[in-house]
Amino acid sequence: MANPNDVKVTNDGATILKSIAIDNAAAKILVNCSTSQDSEVGDGTTSVCVLSGELLREAEKLVNQRIHPQTIISGYRMAAECALNTLRESAIDNSANPEQYRSDLMNIARTVLSSKILCHYKDHFAAMAVDAVLRLQGSQNLEHIHIIKKTGASLGDSFLDEGYILAKSVGIGQPTRLENPKILVANTAMDADKIKIYGTTVKVSSSSRLADIEREEKQKMREKCQKIVDTQCDCFINRLLIYNFPEQFFADHGVMAIEHAEFTGIEGLALVLGADIVSQFDDTSNVRFGTCRLIEEIMIGEDKMIHFSGVPVGAASTIVLRGANQQILDEAERSLHDALCVLAQAVNRRGVILGGGCSEVLMARHVDELAQRTPGKKQLAIEGFARALRQIPTILADNAGYDSAELVAQLRAAHSRDDRRAGLNMTVGQVGNMYELGILEPLHVKEQVVSAASEAAEMILRIDDIITCAPRAAEE
């Protein structure tokens, strides 16, 4: 780890690569490739690095045979185009059948979660993820899905709530339940309104003068609170702390005040409530106030939280994750985020393909056929691309503890008999029908893996020399 005090327990490729200190320039390109894969589609972060590495391994063999890198790159581009066309032709689209479409989404979510910490609860979390994404109604804005992590209970006790839950509590003596409230969201200082100029010193001649300054500060805060109350809002949500005096002022006027809603929390809350974030209250005529059907204080575990139900943005939902410790919760959040990203891509760009090494062997078969039709040295590069693709099912079988050579040979034989749905069933260690087993992936994720891996390998192949600054000479 780059930071020895930061402990992470994960098998997410992008998280591991981002967390370690790397000096090698080529390795940094692969790290950036994995990071962009994570931000673009959410899954396939390990696959893109593995495929890039295999392409570079094949390219190294060709370079040692005196084949120019430009020839290799040209062959790789032809092979990548052929592989992507094969993927698109093999894609299955059941969006016209709502029941089958939801079943496909569930299978995609289960496939993503099968290699994660949530694998033992994959049906439970797959249903949560699909319900949350379908509420977005085609939008890819995952900010509408709020994730809260609370230690205690087990992962199986996690749940999806159709609303927005804020991990804060209501001020003392203030209402804990509001129906159809008028909500003001703010980012303003609600402590004593002191002079915030650092490096200044205020000197007074007596304690009475100090009391005058404190009285003036309190009066300024009272005026500020009065302006907020004059907006006739029922609920005031502030990003910063609310000190005792303004908290009591709001309680006296029957206003629910919620303090210290962190910036990411208040951004998401303003988004789902349809409110503007304001910092001054002299003129609020053009300010959009938020609203919802009900605000109430609830208990999750031993903590009080605030539940906003019936929010204007119907796509909003909250997933509450439970777990034994913070490391498990962090990894569960990363796993669930991958599933949400993949499902959002699957909903936005229709079409699913088969997993379990099926798509890779199918692509490799068509790339091999392209190589046989291609004259010249490019043929060798195209064949190398096909061998790199076949390494994915080989590694899958190795990781599962099976005989990879035997299984991949059986898989290639099945595809040569035109069994286009054959893949590796890692539960029993044999070749099976991937569609019947429900091992599905979104088309866009696999397209991104092939494209990104091919481009990363090309970029590294183009490098002639690495120029680095000479280390500073040690002082005598």
Side-chain angles (χ1 to χ4, degrees), residues 40-90:
E40 180 71 20
V41 292
D43 196 31
T45 53
T46 307
S47 299
V48 72
C49 286
V50 169
L51 185 54
S52 295
E54 292 299 331
L55 289 172
L56 290 170
R57 189 198 305 272
E58 295 295 332
E60 185 181 19
K61 296 176 185 174
L62 297 174
V63 169
N64 291 336
Q65 294 176 26
R66 304 284 184 179
I67 297 176
H68 197 276
Q70 288 297 342
T71 305
I72 301 171
I73 289 170
S74 181
Y76 276 6
R77 285 185 176 175
M78 293 172 63
E81 185 179 356
C82 174
L84 291 173
N85 289 335
T86 303
L87 267 183
R88 292 167 189 140
E89 290 169 6
S90 66

Side-chain angles (χ1 to χ4, degrees), residues 143-144 164 181-187 231 233-238 263-279 281 284 286-292 295 308 310-313 316:
E143 290 180 1
H144 289 155
Y164 197 95
K182 184 180 181 181
I183 304 169
L184 179 63
V185 182
N187 178 18
T231 63
C233 65
D234 302 307
C235 176
F236 175 69
I237 303 172
N238 192 33
F263 195 74
T264 52
I266 205 168
E267 284 277 330
L269 193 55
L271 181 68
V272 299
L273 295 176
D276 291 331
I277 301 175
V278 297
S279 56
F281 313 97
T284 57
N286 295 322
V287 172
R288 285 188 307 158
F289 289 83
T291 187
C292 64
I295 303 177
F308 298 80
V311 293
V313 179

